[in-house]
Structure formats: structure tokens, C-alpha cells
Amino acid sequence: MTQAPPAASGLLSRALADARSPRVPRTVPYLPERAFPWGEPGLHPAGAGGGVDLDRVLRLSLAAPRNAGGRLRPVASAGGLHPVRAHLLVGPGCSLPPGRYAYDPRAHRAHPRGRAPADAPPGAVVVLTVTAARTVAHYGHRAWPLLLLDAGHAAAAVALAAAPADVRVSLDADGEDLAAAAGLPRAADQQTRWPGVEPELPLAALWLPSADGVVPSPAPLTAWAALPCAVAPLPHPGADNAPPRELAASRHLLTYLVAGTDATWHPAARPTPVTDETLRTRRSAAPSDLAHPPAPDLLARVLATAEGARPDGPDWAAAVGGDAPGLLTTAGLLASGDARPTLAQWAAGQRWIGTAGAVLLAHGCPADAPPSLIRRSHLAAGYAAGIAQAHATALGLRSRPIGSWLQADLGAALGDAPGHDWIVHGLALAGPSDPPLPAPPPLPGKEERP
């Protein structure tokens, strides 16, 4: 485990202020998704039994099945860019043989990257990483908080798919511990060990223990981290075709954020009535489909789910309009008045938010927050939004995550001291539209004409 450099906190504070500022990003044309970089033949995750069915878990969370319009993934991502990758550390009791694997979501295959340690914990550890280039190309200096949110959404997707089995989620494990466990080089050794390969930055991990009554170990990464670095991916020319200054800065910032912390593992749960079918069908709605207010009782249930998803996450509130506009929390009314027009301005000018049925808001993360709080706030906000979006889908509500927030100092807007309570993430909600009224019957004595 390493400690972040002393200057990291100041660097991150400045970068956070810049990401929240109205400065227009410097971007490049759209970068296409690159081919999966591991060339070894992949294994189908459905094997001969085992307590952890990785085929089911991955199909319901990260797989990208092809349909008539291309490929749709069941997990939300800023700009539809999907920068998150998954490394599977498979021990005894799984549908894949023990070993390290890289997961290809397009082919739904697990590519072997090395053996498992003799003392591998039962079940599977999933290490989530991000590649930054495509998101930076699209969002510039605003990209790195969005990468954290994306990783949180992916962690929620895996946790929901693995439930109701025992699932543990860590959003604060040390980055070098995660890299070592996944068989990736340390950030400082990346260019030397794997030249020409786009770096993967590890951000989160999940442990799916096998269903044999074994109590989860508090340190499921330890045995894996003792192994040497695993099989390298194939180099990819042009992997850094994003604005070079912003790309380098984003990678450095994310490396600082994950340095020097001890992992805590929190249990995950699937809200009722979320089912496997919910996970197969959940999708973000178009902005034009989000204007109808959700029923108050359903809104309250989804808000409670977001609030309770992570004990270490930010606070949540809901902005509503209608006859009694206000900002609601699970404890009651936080402020009166319609906040949605202001939210539309803060959310990078997305005007549709001003008429959204309701908007859930994750808020906190002060301007001078330490690196660990910045990381945890964004990962936990993405995680909670992912859980809440699945719950909303199961309740018949439409939803759409909102990741970009500029100058969104909620505390200052409510009369508190500036800089202490910022919006980190959002989730727009809407109920189904009212069915059209039936046509009135014809007047007596009048014939209807075709």
C-alpha cells in the first residue's frame, strides 16, 4: 500500500473546482471503442456448476448483447462510452475454473490471464478498472469524476446481478492492492512493463463468495496480490488520441485518489421487487419521456433506496414540482420552491431537467474534501444511483442518470456557507404517461362519418 503525495490533496481540490467550473472542455472527435485487448481464446462463463454462476452475473450486469440497433448494455455510462473493464479472480466454487480472467462484454467470454493462488478464497473477486481515453476525448477536464460515477454504476450492476447471494462491495481499496490482485502493473511501472498499452486504473472491487456457508474474509485480495503480474494485453496504436494534457491529468488524479486506503467491504442487497427480468430490461429513458411526475409513494421508495444503498455515501434529496414544489429528503422537506429550473442550468444546460417529473440528487463532497472522500463520494453516488435506477424500473418508473454538474453548490443556494455541499450526481425519475382519454360518444341524432 502506498500513500498519496503530500501535494495530492491540493492538486485534487483544484481539479475538482475546475471540473465543476463552466470552463468549456477541450475535446476531440469521437473515439470508437477499441477491440478487446486480450488475444487468448476466451471461455464461456457457464461451466459445470459451482456456487457462483458467473454466466448469469455477467449477463445481467456488464454483457453487451447485440440487437437490431447495435449493442445495448444494461448499465448506464456517461455518453454511452462504457470505460469500465472487469477482471475476474476466480477461486473454488465458481462456474469457471480457478484463475485470473479478463472479461470481454461484447463476446461474453472470460479470457484466461494466469493461475489462481493455492489459498484463493472461495468464490470470485471482480476488480473494476477504467480506461480514460474515450471519456476524456468526449468530456475533457470534466472526465475524471464521470469515470468514478461510471465505475460506481458498474459496481451496482454486478452487485444487483449477484444478489440475493452474499455480495460484498469495496469502494475504497488501495489502488496498488487492486492492481496487484488483478495482475496489472503499478501505475508507475505501466509504460515500462506494458509499452503501448492503454493504462487501466483500478477503482473498485466486489467479492461474490461461494454458497457453501463460508464467512467472507476481510481481505479477499491478499492471496491474489501475492501472485506475479499476469498476461499482458495486446498494444493498441493510437490509444492516447485524447487531449494529451487532460488525459495525463485524469490518469494522475485517479491514481492519487486510490492511494493509501484500507479496504472496507459492505454487504449489498437487491431492493424488492427487483428481479432478473428487471435487470435485463432496465435502460435510461430519453429526456422527452421524463416529464410525467412519479407517484409520491413510489418516489419516496426510490429515494429511500438511494439514501440507504451505501453507508459511506453522500446524502440524497429529491426535487419535485407540481402543486407543492420543494426539495425532499427521507426525513421531510428540506426546502420549498421548484429547484428544477436551477438544476437544469447547473446540469451543463440540460433544459429538459427543468420539467422532469422529479430529480434525485446526491450531494456533499466539499470543495476541500480529502482524496478519500472525493473518491468515495463519487463511487458511492454512482453505486446508489445504479441501485435506485433498477428499483425505479421495477416500480414502473422511467429514469435517466445525470452526471455533469457545474457550479452546483446546493448548500450555498439554500443559504449555507459556500463550498461545503455540492451536487455530485443525479437521477431523473418519471411515471408513465396518462393514457389518452376515450373519444366522446356521438351526439344523439348525428351520424358518425368514416
Side-chain angles (χ1 to χ4, degrees), residues 234-276:
L234 300 173
H236 193 289
D240 287 352
N241 286 343
R245 181 176 178 180
E246 285 83 355
L247 182 57
S250 293
R251 288 172 176 163
H252 285 306
L253 291 165
L254 293 174
T255 300
Y256 288 156
L257 280 171
V258 298
T261 54
D262 293 320
T264 54
W265 297 85
H266 292 288
R270 180 192 281 189
T272 303
V274 174
T275 64
D276 285 6

Coordinates of all heavy atoms in Angstrom, one line a residue, residues 234-276:
L234 N -2.7 -6.9 -25.7 CA -2.1 -6.5 -26.9 C -1.9 -5.0 -27.0 O -2.9 -4.3 -26.6 CB -2.9 -7.0 -28.1 CG -3.1 -8.5 -28.2 CD1 -4.0 -8.9 -29.3 CD2 -1.7 -9.2 -28.4
P235 N -0.8 -4.5 -27.4 CA -0.7 -3.0 -27.6 C -1.7 -2.5 -28.7 O -2.1 -3.3 -29.5 CB 0.7 -2.8 -28.1 CG 1.5 -4.0 -27.8 CD 0.5 -5.2 -27.8
H236 N -2.1 -1.3 -28.5 CA -3.1 -0.7 -29.5 C -2.6 0.6 -29.9 O -2.6 1.6 -29.1 CB -4.5 -0.6 -28.8 CG -5.6 -0.3 -29.8 ND1 -5.7 0.9 -30.4 CD2 -6.6 -1.1 -30.2 CE1 -6.8 0.8 -31.3 NE2 -7.3 -0.4 -31.2
P237 N -2.2 0.8 -31.2 CA -1.7 2.1 -31.7 C -2.8 3.1 -31.6 O -4.0 2.8 -31.8 CB -1.4 1.8 -33.2 CG -1.2 0.3 -33.3 CD -2.1 -0.3 -32.2
G238 N -2.5 4.3 -31.2 CA -3.4 5.4 -31.1 C -4.3 5.4 -29.9 O -5.3 6.0 -29.8
A239 N -3.8 4.7 -28.8 CA -4.6 4.5 -27.6 C -4.8 5.8 -26.9 O -5.7 6.0 -26.0 CB -4.0 3.5 -26.7
D240 N -3.9 6.8 -27.2 CA -4.0 8.1 -26.4 C -4.4 9.2 -27.3 O -3.9 10.4 -27.2 CB -2.6 8.4 -25.8 CG -2.3 7.5 -24.6 OD1 -3.2 6.7 -24.2 OD2 -1.1 7.5 -24.2
N241 N -5.3 9.0 -28.2 CA -5.8 10.1 -29.1 C -6.8 11.0 -28.5 O -7.8 11.4 -29.1 CB -6.4 9.4 -30.4 CG -5.3 8.9 -31.3 OD1 -4.2 9.2 -31.2 ND2 -5.8 8.0 -32.2
A242 N -6.6 11.3 -27.2 CA -7.5 12.2 -26.5 C -6.6 13.4 -26.2 O -5.3 13.4 -26.4 CB -8.0 11.6 -25.2
P243 N -7.1 14.6 -25.8 CA -6.3 15.7 -25.5 C -5.2 15.3 -24.5 O -5.5 14.9 -23.3 CB -7.3 16.7 -24.8 CG -8.6 16.4 -25.4 CD -8.6 14.9 -25.6
P244 N -3.9 15.4 -24.8 CA -2.9 14.7 -24.0 C -2.8 15.3 -22.6 O -2.6 14.6 -21.7 CB -1.6 15.0 -24.8 CG -1.9 16.1 -25.8 CD -3.4 16.0 -26.1
R245 N -2.9 16.6 -22.5 CA -2.8 17.2 -21.1 C -3.9 16.7 -20.2 O -3.7 16.3 -19.1 CB -2.8 18.7 -21.2 CG -2.7 19.4 -19.9 CD -2.6 20.9 -20.1 NE -2.5 21.6 -18.8 CZ -2.4 22.9 -18.7 NH1 -2.4 23.7 -19.7 NH2 -2.3 23.5 -17.5
E246 N -5.2 16.8 -20.7 CA -6.3 16.3 -19.9 C -6.3 14.8 -19.6 O -6.6 14.4 -18.5 CB -7.6 16.7 -20.6 CG -8.0 18.1 -20.6 CD -7.3 19.0 -21.6 OE1 -6.5 18.4 -22.4 OE2 -7.7 20.2 -21.8
L247 N -5.8 14.1 -20.6 CA -5.7 12.6 -20.4 C -4.7 12.3 -19.3 O -5.0 11.5 -18.4 CB -5.3 11.9 -21.7 CG -5.3 10.4 -21.7 CD1 -6.6 9.8 -21.2 CD2 -4.9 9.8 -23.1
A248 N -3.5 12.9 -19.4 CA -2.5 12.6 -18.4 C -3.0 13.1 -17.0 O -2.8 12.4 -16.0 CB -1.2 13.3 -18.8
A249 N -3.6 14.3 -17.0 CA -4.1 14.8 -15.7 C -5.2 13.8 -15.1 O -5.1 13.6 -13.9 CB -4.7 16.2 -15.9
S250 N -6.1 13.3 -15.9 CA -7.1 12.4 -15.4 C -6.5 11.2 -14.8 O -6.9 10.7 -13.8 CB -8.1 12.1 -16.5 OG -8.9 13.2 -16.9
R251 N -5.5 10.6 -15.5 CA -4.9 9.4 -15.0 C -4.2 9.6 -13.7 O -4.3 8.8 -12.8 CB -4.0 8.8 -16.1 CG -4.7 8.2 -17.3 CD -3.7 7.9 -18.4 NE -4.3 7.2 -19.5 CZ -3.8 7.1 -20.7 NH1 -2.6 7.6 -21.0 NH2 -4.5 6.5 -21.7
H252 N -3.5 10.8 -13.6 CA -2.7 11.1 -12.4 C -3.7 11.3 -11.3 O -3.5 10.8 -10.1 CB -1.9 12.3 -12.6 CG -0.6 12.0 -13.4 ND1 0.3 11.1 -13.1 CD2 -0.1 12.7 -14.5 CE1 1.3 11.1 -14.0 NE2 1.1 12.0 -14.8
L253 N -4.8 12.0 -11.5 CA -5.8 12.3 -10.5 C -6.4 11.0 -9.9 O -6.5 10.8 -8.7 CB -6.9 13.2 -11.0 CG -6.4 14.6 -11.3 CD1 -7.5 15.3 -12.1 CD2 -6.2 15.4 -10.0
L254 N -6.8 10.1 -10.8 CA -7.4 8.8 -10.4 C -6.4 8.0 -9.7 O -6.8 7.2 -8.7 CB -8.0 8.1 -11.6 CG -9.2 8.8 -12.2 CD1 -9.6 8.1 -13.5 CD2 -10.4 8.9 -11.3
T255 N -5.1 8.0 -10.0 CA -4.1 7.3 -9.3 C -3.9 7.8 -7.9 O -3.8 7.1 -7.0 CB -2.8 7.3 -10.1 OG1 -2.9 6.8 -11.4 CG2 -1.7 6.6 -9.4
Y256 N -3.9 9.1 -7.8 CA -3.8 9.8 -6.4 C -5.0 9.4 -5.6 O -4.9 9.1 -4.4 CB -3.8 11.3 -6.5 CG -2.5 11.8 -7.1 CD1 -2.4 13.1 -7.7 CD2 -1.3 11.1 -7.0 CE1 -1.3 13.6 -8.2 CE2 -0.1 11.6 -7.4 CZ -0.1 12.9 -8.0 OH 1.1 13.4 -8.5
L257 N -6.2 9.4 -6.2 CA -7.4 9.1 -5.4 C -7.5 7.8 -4.7 O -8.1 7.6 -3.7 CB -8.6 9.3 -6.3 CG -9.1 10.7 -6.6 CD1 -10.2 10.6 -7.7 CD2 -9.7 11.3 -5.4
V258 N -6.8 6.8 -5.4 CA -6.9 5.4 -4.9 C -5.7 5.0 -4.1 O -5.5 3.8 -3.8 CB -7.2 4.4 -6.0 CG1 -8.5 4.8 -6.7 CG2 -6.1 4.4 -7.0
A259 N -4.9 5.9 -3.7 CA -3.6 5.6 -3.0 C -3.8 5.6 -1.5 O -4.4 6.5 -0.9 CB -2.5 6.5 -3.4
G260 N -3.3 4.6 -0.8 CA -3.1 4.6 0.6 C -4.3 4.5 1.5 O -4.4 5.0 2.6
T261 N -5.3 3.7 1.0 CA -6.5 3.5 1.9 C -6.7 2.0 2.1 O -6.3 1.1 1.3 CB -7.8 4.0 1.1 OG1 -7.8 3.4 -0.2 CG2 -7.7 5.5 1.0
D262 N -7.3 1.7 3.3 CA -7.6 0.3 3.6 C -9.0 -0.1 3.2 O -9.9 0.7 3.3 CB -7.5 0.1 5.2 CG -6.1 0.3 5.7 OD1 -5.2 -0.2 5.0 OD2 -5.9 0.9 6.7
A263 N -9.1 -1.3 2.6 CA -10.4 -1.7 2.1 C -11.4 -2.0 3.1 O -11.1 -2.6 4.1 CB -10.2 -2.9 1.2
T264 N -12.6 -1.5 2.9 CA -13.8 -1.9 3.7 C -14.8 -2.6 2.8 O -15.0 -2.1 1.7 CB -14.4 -0.7 4.5 OG1 -14.8 0.3 3.5 CG2 -13.5 -0.2 5.5
W265 N -15.4 -3.6 3.3 CA -16.3 -4.4 2.4 C -17.7 -4.4 3.0 O -18.0 -4.9 4.1 CB -15.8 -5.9 2.4 CG -14.5 -6.0 1.7 CD1 -13.3 -5.9 2.3 CD2 -14.2 -6.2 0.3 NE1 -12.3 -6.0 1.4 CE2 -12.8 -6.3 0.2 CE3 -15.0 -6.5 -0.8 CZ2 -12.2 -6.5 -1.0 CZ3 -14.4 -6.7 -2.0 CH2 -13.0 -6.7 -2.1
H266 N -18.6 -3.7 2.3 CA -20.0 -3.6 2.7 C -20.9 -4.6 2.0 O -20.8 -4.8 0.8 CB -20.5 -2.2 2.5 CG -19.8 -1.1 3.3 ND1 -20.1 -1.0 4.7 CD2 -18.9 -0.2 3.0 CE1 -19.3 0.0 5.2 NE2 -18.6 0.5 4.2
P267 N -21.9 -5.2 2.7 CA -22.8 -6.1 2.0 C -23.7 -5.3 1.1 O -24.0 -4.1 1.3 CB -23.6 -6.7 3.2 CG -23.5 -5.7 4.3 CD -22.1 -5.0 4.1
A268 N -24.1 -6.0 0.0 CA -25.1 -5.4 -1.0 C -26.4 -6.1 -0.9 O -26.4 -7.3 -0.5 CB -24.5 -5.5 -2.4
A269 N -27.4 -5.4 -1.3 CA -28.8 -6.0 -1.3 C -29.5 -5.6 -2.6 O -29.2 -4.6 -3.1 CB -29.6 -5.6 -0.1
R270 N -30.4 -6.4 -3.0 CA -31.3 -6.1 -4.1 C -32.6 -5.7 -3.6 O -33.3 -6.4 -2.9 CB -31.5 -7.3 -5.0 CG -32.3 -7.1 -6.2 CD -32.7 -8.4 -6.9 NE -31.6 -8.9 -7.8 CZ -31.8 -9.9 -8.7 NH1 -33.0 -10.5 -8.7 NH2 -30.8 -10.3 -9.4
P271 N -33.1 -4.4 -4.0 CA -34.4 -3.9 -3.5 C -35.5 -4.8 -4.0 O -35.5 -5.2 -5.2 CB -34.4 -2.5 -4.0 CG -33.1 -2.2 -4.5 CD -32.4 -3.4 -4.8
T272 N -36.5 -4.9 -3.2 CA -37.8 -5.5 -3.6 C -38.6 -4.5 -4.4 O -38.7 -3.3 -3.9 CB -38.6 -6.1 -2.4 OG1 -37.8 -7.0 -1.7 CG2 -39.9 -6.7 -2.9
P273 N -39.1 -4.7 -5.6 CA -39.4 -6.0 -6.2 C -38.4 -6.2 -7.4 O -38.9 -6.8 -8.5 CB -40.8 -5.9 -6.7 CG -40.9 -4.5 -7.1 CD -40.0 -3.7 -6.1
V274 N -37.2 -5.8 -7.4 CA -36.3 -6.0 -8.5 C -36.0 -7.5 -8.8 O -35.8 -8.3 -7.8 CB -34.9 -5.3 -8.2 CG1 -33.9 -5.6 -9.3 CG2 -35.1 -3.8 -8.1
T275 N -36.1 -7.9 -10.0 CA -36.0 -9.3 -10.4 C -34.9 -9.4 -11.5 O -34.4 -8.3 -12.0 CB -37.3 -9.9 -11.0 OG1 -37.6 -9.2 -12.2 CG2 -38.4 -9.8 -9.9
D276 N -34.5 -10.6 -11.9 CA -33.6 -10.7 -13.0 C -34.2 -10.1 -14.3 O -33.4 -9.5 -15.1 CB -33.3 -12.2 -13.3 CG -32.4 -12.8 -12.3 OD1 -32.0 -12.1 -11.3 OD2 -32.0 -14.0 -12.5

